[in-house]
Amino acid sequence: MTRIFSGVKPTGHLTLGNYLGAVRRWVEVDQLRSDALFSVVDLHALTVEHDPARVLRLSRQAATLLLAAGLDPKRCTVFVQSHVDEHARLSYLLECTATDGELRRMIQYKEKSVGAREAGQSVRLSLLTYPVLMAADILAYGTDEVPVGDDQTQHVELTRDLAVRFNQRYGHTFTVPRATHPEVAARVMDLQDPRSKMGKSHENGTGIVYLLDEADAVRRKIMRAVTDSGQEVAYDREARPGVANLLDLLAAATGGDPETLAGAYASCGALKKDTAEAVIELLRPVRERHAELAADPGEVDRVLREGAARARELARPLVDRAYRAVGLLPAG
């Protein structure tokens, strides 16, 4: 059976973009057709300035939301990255395989390091090396497929390069994975800046729909969405990105086609109204199930504990083999 690994970083509240671009596919497709592992990758949240209490709170919230969205522990493995030591163990071996040059070429490192310097912050070494930790997340499980957004494709390519290089130097150890991409609404854009991705860590949340937003908040944000000049409703990502974003959201929420839907609207106001109601209804069961799980944190802890035990059972033999391959003396 195909093995899939993917994760979510607890650097902000999960958004509609996270759900449509990744989580819904995990629920409706990936956990049903594969041996799938889904992780809250909390170690990645430490690469920039952070509030420890917030990371802790968001990690639990993210795990609870993954379960509320429909990930079934009987069908897949849900766990927290830092609960499985093999991620950090393998990351160091892969740091010894990667080069400084290829890590400095990573687009996200360039962007985030500039942002940190402009904010007067130091750039942590972990920001440079975190794609290697991501590679360890993937390779530790013999992963075949990695469902990711477009912005993570470069990191999966690095993972592939490291797997091939390690195998060539030390003998075949790792499966070389491939990136896969959702077909619909893979890149949900900010409602106030429709040329930028809807990101969970943006300081200004007026253009972001969070999974736990109340219905009134969702409705208000979508009704205030930027829709370009004029009232014409046409699906054109380049010329009318705001309208196209709304049509993508409506299509993703209702199962329709954005170009076909465009022909049903004479005004942006009507499009916004229908999109808001469709998104509210899409997220309603997730919010309701989250409330149930949040009231029973012991159940979430149990799922994460059992998930980490299974993940450890899968990863440890492979990581131990990698340690032997590079010439490290086995522990007693």
Side-chain angles (χ1 to χ4, degrees):
M1 181 179 286
T2 299
R3 180 163 292 162
I4 287 176
F5 176 92
S6 198
V8 60
K9 185 164 58 174
T11 51
H13 300 285
L14 295 189
T15 72
L16 179 62
N18 297 129
Y19 182 71
L20 292 178
V23 177
R24 187 165 71 167
R25 177 184 171 89
W26 298 352
V27 171
E28 297 180 353
V29 178
D30 294 331
Q31 71 170 343
L32 303 179
R33 69 175 180 88
S34 64
D35 181 8
L37 297 100
F38 302 108
S39 180
V40 177
V41 287
D42 52 346
L43 295 176
H44 289 292
L46 311 185
T47 60
V48 294
E49 295 291 333
H50 65 279
D51 174 5
R54 186 170 187 267
V55 171
L56 181 64
R57 183 173 65 255
L58 290 177
S59 295
R60 172 172 288 281
Q61 183 187 92
T64 306
L65 275 169
L66 292 182
L67 298 174
L71 289 184
D72 183 352
K74 295 179 181 178
R75 292 182 176 272
C76 65
T77 303
V78 181
F79 68 104
V80 175
Q81 177 192 32
S82 63
H83 294 177
V84 181
D85 294 344
E86 279 62 36
H87 292 254
R89 290 179 62 207
L90 181 55
S91 182
Y92 182 72
L93 295 193
L94 296 179
E95 284 185 12
C96 296
T97 307
T99 67
D100 174 79
E102 61 191 345
L103 293 181
R104 292 188 185 278
R105 286 194 294 272
M106 294 291 106
I107 294 171
Q108 288 203 12
Y109 170 72
K110 292 180 180 180
E111 293 176 349
K112 291 184 178 181
S113 61
V114 169
R117 292 189 182 98
E118 289 178 347
Q121 301 172 352
S122 58
V123 179
R124 300 187 180 191
L125 179 61
S126 55
L127 185 62
L128 176 66
T129 61
Y130 98 87
V132 177
L133 176 57
M134 179 177 170
D137 298 338
I138 296 165
L139 297 180
Y141 298 101
T143 301
D144 300 295
E145 296 182 4
V146 189
V148 292
D150 295 339
D151 59 334
Q152 292 294 327
T153 299
Q154 187 184 35
H155 292 160
V156 178
E157 288 304 313
L158 174 67
T159 300
R160 290 171 54 84
D161 291 343
L162 295 180
V164 169
R165 190 178 306 157
F166 192 100
N167 289 345
Q168 290 174 340
R169 288 180 180 176
Y170 307 114
H172 184 77
T173 306
F174 299 118
T175 299
V176 180
R178 61 185 179 276
T180 60
H181 304 280
E183 296 180 1
V184 179
R187 198 169 176 82
V188 177
M189 312 309 281
D190 190 288
L191 295 170
Q192 292 299 315
D193 181 10
R195 295 192 185 276
S196 298
K197 189 178 73 166
M198 186 181 285
K200 61 180 178 294
S201 55
H202 288 182
E203 290 184 7
N204 184 352
T206 58
I208 303 170
V209 174
Y210 297 103
L211 296 190
L212 294 180
D213 275 347
E214 297 287 343
D216 286 346
V218 174
R219 189 176 293 110
R220 182 171 61 253
K221 290 177 179 180
I222 293 178
M223 293 303 295
R224 294 176 179 176
V226 170
T227 52
D228 324 303
S229 60
Q231 282 295 306
E232 179 189 4
V233 177
Y235 188 71
D236 187 332
R237 280 187 169 275
E238 291 301 317
R240 316 252 2 233
V243 173
N245 189 37
L246 290 173
L247 288 167
D248 278 334
L249 291 178
L250 181 60
T254 62
D257 173 75
E259 293 190 16
T260 302
L261 288 169
Y265 292 94
S267 71
C268 290
L271 172 61
K272 287 180 178 182
K273 181 178 179 181
D274 284 359
T275 301
E277 297 310 315
V279 169
I280 289 168
E281 185 57 27
L282 177 72
L283 298 183
R284 180 185 53 76
V286 177
R287 290 179 55 247
E288 290 177 353
R289 179 59 177 151
H290 176 271
E292 294 173 2
L293 289 168
D296 186 11
E299 174 62 13
V300 177
D301 288 341
R302 182 192 65 78
V303 170
L304 296 178
R305 185 167 55 250
E306 292 180 358
R310 180 172 187 270
R312 203 175 298 119
E313 181 181 305
L314 292 173
R316 183 162 294 171
L318 194 153
V319 175
D320 285 348
R321 187 161 73 248
Y323 267 56
R324 292 193 298 271
V326 299
L328 298 178
L329 189 66

